[in-house]
Amino acid sequence: SVKWQKEIFPSVEIDTSQPPLVFKCQLYGLTGVPPERQKIMVKGGLLKDDADWNTLGLKEGQRLMMMGTADEIVMAPENGPVFVEDLPEEEQVASLGHTAGLFNLGNTCYMNSTIQCLHSVPELKSALQKYTYSGRSNDLDPSSHLLTVAARDLFGELDRSVRPVAPMQFWMVLRKKYPQFGQQHNGLFMQQDAEECWTQLIYTLSQSLKSPESRDNDEAVKQLFGIELMSKVRCAESGEESLETESVFSLKCHISQEVNHLHHGLKHGLKSELEKVSPVLGRTAVYLKESRINSLPSYLTVQFVRFFWKRESNQKAKILRKVNYPLELDIFDICSDELCEKLKDPREMLRGQESAKFGLKSKEKQIDSIDKSAGILNTEVLNTNGSSSDSSAAEAKHAMDADKVSQLTGIYDLVAVLTHKGRSADSGHYVAWVKQENGKWIEFDDENPIPQREEDITKLSGG
């Protein structure tokens, strides 16, 4: 039990396999006293965030004393102005202009940053809200269902709360579904790869958000994030040539000494060499694979490939080279000929619309509204989100619902960036930078949302 001021909280469970900070997050939920203000008396003095429970001699039924003041709630006068602090929590969120941060539960910054980037996609939140397990018992495993429910509930909690949220349930389910995120070293949970966390989450949601009973959510994740690549595979020795198609959820920005810009890295990532048996030569040969984008998503995710395996030292290493990226990315020149043809009219409409906005004469007598596309940047991950050009965009979108591709222009606005600070692949710190609905940028450093200027986002240079 825990005694705080005149209150006693009985039967508080302590998971001794997790650091004391997690216990403090529990008490924060009970008392409103933030973890940094909590002073908990234990054997040997005050309880530290990284203390070892085994050395503290805890016993079943033991009473702990806690000191600390809760967050102050400002009460409005009876007939006075209404302050932000007096509004319901949902209204406080709206007035702040950004959602809540996430407590770090022990090297979980990779997970927190990933969640904040995905949480910036309103269409994904909408699909999660419609999610139901009804009729899914045959095609979806229980752990995927639990992870989807945990994501839905966590997104909802972030939207409703002005105080930091402890994502304990989501973290527990994530570790159960993907045990690699539960790896420990010396009794502490290890730092993990944010890109791997993003990939596993997107894959799980792509399976769970397929509704067997209605088509509302059918292929929802594929429409939001799915990229179709068309690849030409050619063997220089034999002259063999074939076409292949594949679906992926992100593009790779490969970094070398020649790459200084995201666009250049993307072109590098769409070319590769592979070895396979040639039917013509009857032996292994080298093939050149050149890919082009054949279908665009609403949100384009790009991974900056910074981590690689260093054979000499037998460990993961990080490429620290700066790679610049824009706030608006045009990928028209890496699309297939077929897709380029489909994009021409929407791009012309967009150019005409922007010309009209600046008072320039358009070649067309009437300019329909068109949406720019969306995207996420993972520099570790980049996500660019689509935004409507003006108030008539909704009408244009409705008119073009029959052909999804015609809504896209190949031009993506940056909406989220996930970065890794530090030189080591197995340590350091992950941070999310997310554009809010009001156009302002927020740096989500775990539980701390920090306002940032738009010009500071591009200065990150992917690191």
Side-chain angles (χ1 to χ4, degrees):
S1 63
V2 178
K3 186 175 188 301
W4 172 64
Q5 296 180 354
K6 295 181 180 180
E7 294 187 69
I8 296 177
F9 301 93
S11 305
V12 179
E13 292 186 4
I14 297 179
D15 185 349
T16 56
S17 67
Q18 303 206 24
L21 179 59
V22 175
F23 173 57
K24 289 185 177 183
C25 288
Q26 289 176 255
L27 296 182
Y28 174 56
L30 292 171
T31 65
V33 181
E36 64 270 15
R37 289 192 211 154
Q38 295 177 18
K39 293 181 180 178
I40 303 170
M41 308 300 294
V42 292
K43 177 183 175 183
L46 295 176
L47 179 63
K48 295 182 179 179
D49 290 350
D50 57 353
D52 184 355
W53 288 113
N54 296 321
T55 65
L56 301 179
L58 287 182
K59 295 178 182 177
E60 188 77 22
Q62 180 177 340
R63 176 170 293 181
L64 297 177
M65 301 286 292
M66 187 187 86
M67 294 181 289
T69 54
D71 287 335
E72 184 181 353
I73 299 175
V74 180
M75 300 301 293
E78 243 180 75
N79 298 313
V82 178
F83 296 99
V84 171
E85 293 86 346
D86 304 317
L87 295 171
E89 202 156 14
E90 291 86 348
E91 293 182 35
Q92 289 187 42
V93 173
S95 65
L96 280 175
H98 63 79
T99 52
L102 290 163
F103 278 117
N104 191 318
L105 303 179
N107 284 331
T108 58
C109 57
Y110 69 92
M111 179 187 78
N112 291 349
S113 301
T114 302
I115 290 169
Q116 293 289 9
C117 286
L118 289 175
H119 181 247
S120 71
V121 181
E123 298 92 335
L124 181 60
K125 286 194 281 188
S126 177
L128 281 168
Q129 287 167 1
K130 297 175 186 175
Y131 173 74
T132 174
Y133 192 53
S134 176
R136 301 301 304 273
S137 56
N138 295 328
D139 68 333
L140 186 69
D141 64 281
S143 60
S144 294
H145 162 67
L146 291 174
L147 186 57
T148 305
V149 169
R152 180 192 67 195
D153 294 347
L154 181 56
F155 278 19
E157 199 172 353
L158 285 172
D159 285 333
R160 294 189 301 270
S161 179
V162 291
R163 298 190 297 184
V165 174
M168 293 180 64
Q169 181 64 25
F170 182 88
W171 188 38
M172 288 168 58
V173 177
L174 178 69
R175 284 180 290 151
K176 186 174 181 180
K177 172 68 177 172
Y178 298 107
Q180 65 266 37
F181 297 119
Q183 290 177 320
Q184 296 188 34
H185 180 67
N186 293 332
L188 298 175
F189 286 101
M190 298 171 62
Q191 177 71 284
Q192 300 293 336
D193 187 348
E195 193 275 333
E196 184 179 359
C197 181
W198 185 91
T199 299
Q200 301 290 24
L201 270 177
I202 287 292
Y203 174 75
T204 299
L205 295 177
S206 71
Q207 300 303 303
S208 61
L209 296 181
K210 291 180 182 177
S211 173
E213 297 177 353
S214 74
R215 298 191 59 82
D216 287 349
N217 286 341
D218 193 32
E219 301 295 320
V221 174
K222 186 176 180 182
Q223 288 180 17
L224 289 174
F225 303 103
I227 307 162
E228 183 183 283
L229 296 178
M230 180 175 287
S231 305
K232 184 186 294 183
V233 183
R234 187 175 187 279
C235 177
E237 280 190 83
S238 64
E240 298 166 74
E241 193 169 291
S242 62
L243 287 177
E244 299 176 357
T245 58
E246 61 178 315
S247 294
V248 296
F249 287 116
S250 66
L251 295 179
K252 309 295 182 187
C253 174
H254 285 273
I255 302 172
S256 65
Q257 291 299 319
E258 295 78 37
V259 174
N260 295 310
H261 193 275
L262 167 65
H263 202 278
H264 195 191
L266 285 175
K267 287 185 174 181
H268 272 256
L270 292 173
K271 290 182 180 180
S272 61
E273 286 188 349
L274 54 98
E275 288 188 1
K276 63 178 183 176
V277 175
S278 165
V280 175
L281 301 175
R283 58 175 173 80
T284 301
V286 176
Y287 287 75
L288 177 64
K289 181 179 180 180
E290 294 189 62
S291 303
R292 286 288 180 270
I293 300 171
N294 201 44
S295 178
L296 291 171
S298 299
Y299 291 77
L300 178 71
T301 302
V302 180
Q303 181 204 358
F304 281 37
V305 186
R306 290 197 174 275
F307 297 139
F308 68 101
W309 189 258
K310 205 169 185 179
R311 291 182 181 177
E312 309 90 77
S313 56
N314 203 33
Q315 63 181 12
K316 275 200 295 185
K318 181 179 177 180
I319 302 171
L320 298 171
R321 183 179 180 82
K322 283 189 175 184
V323 178
N324 295 314
Y325 54 84
L327 292 170
E328 184 178 275
L329 176 68
D330 190 346
I331 58 169
F332 184 77
D333 64 337
I334 55 174
C335 294
S336 67
D337 293 341
E338 180 185 347
L339 179 57
C340 285
E341 196 60 37
K342 292 178 180 178
L343 295 177
K344 281 181 181 178
D345 286 345
R347 288 170 69 88
E348 187 62 37
M349 290 164 65
L350 179 64
R351 279 194 293 269
Q353 187 175 325
E354 291 180 342
S355 296
K357 190 188 299 183
F358 290 103
L360 301 176
K361 289 184 178 180
S362 171
K363 294 179 182 177
E364 304 292 335
K365 291 182 180 178
Q366 181 180 355
I367 301 166
D368 295 324
S369 183
I370 190 75
D371 281 354
K372 279 196 278 187
S373 310
I376 290 173
L377 175 62
N378 180 335
T379 60
E380 308 24 287
V381 182
L382 162 64
N383 191 345
T384 311
N385 186 6
S387 59
S388 300
S389 302
D390 61 25
S391 59
S392 61
E395 297 174 17
K397 182 178 185 300
H398 178 73
M400 289 185 277
D401 270 345
D403 185 1
K404 171 180 171 291
V405 176
S406 68
Q407 298 179 38
L408 301 176
T409 60
I411 301 172
Y412 286 83
D413 289 322
L414 185 64
V415 294
V417 185
L418 196 163
T419 61
H420 177 266
K421 299 178 181 179
R423 291 180 170 271
S424 171
D426 296 315
S427 61
H429 185 56
Y430 285 100
V431 174
W433 315 70
V434 181
K435 191 175 185 179
Q436 306 302 296
E437 290 182 5
N438 59 15
K440 295 180 179 178
W441 282 86
I442 297 293
E443 174 191 357
F444 286 99
D445 187 352
D446 287 329
E447 70 269 28
N448 301 311
I450 307 165
Q452 297 289 351
R453 297 177 304 172
E454 189 171 68
E455 54 265 34
D456 292 331
I457 305 305
T458 52
K459 289 177 184 177
L460 294 169
S461 299

